[in-house]
Amino acid sequence: MLRHEFHPGKLIAGLCLLTVAVVYAGDAGGAWDAPWFVALPLMMVGLFLAGVAAAIHGIRPRGAARSGGGGGSVREPRDQGLS
């Protein structure tokens, strides 16, 4: 399996959507009563936090390739395919 870059903004946005789903599932199941407008503030706060996390993650340097040290080239991994 190929490794991928970590995206904290996508993680936070997904957790926010999952929270909204759990709130409305609890409402549908009769565990509690959630008003219809609860999703809007939850999503706005979650998307704001996701944007902040993505911006912070994009600002920091990612490894030695960006630090300017060394003059060597960075090799990218080859795609192994499915065969």
Side-chain angles (χ1 to χ4, degrees), residues 23-41:
V23 166
Y24 281 113
D27 182 35
W32 55 78
D33 185 32
W36 63 269
F37 56 84
V38 169
L40 187 62

Side-chain angles (χ1 to χ4, degrees), residues 61-72 74:
R62 296 183 192 132
R66 281 202 170 173
S67 66
V74 178

Side-chain angles (χ1 to χ4, degrees), residues 3-52:
R3 298 202 38 101
H4 55 82
E5 187 177 348
F6 176 64
H7 298 283
K10 290 181 181 182
L11 175 66
I12 293 173
L15 290 174
C16 176
L17 282 170
L18 186 63
T19 302
V20 171
V22 166
V23 166
Y24 281 113
D27 182 35
W32 55 78
D33 185 32
W36 63 269
F37 56 84
V38 169
L40 187 62
L42 283 175
M43 285 307 304
M44 294 304 288
V45 169
L47 290 176
F48 174 75
L49 291 175
V52 168

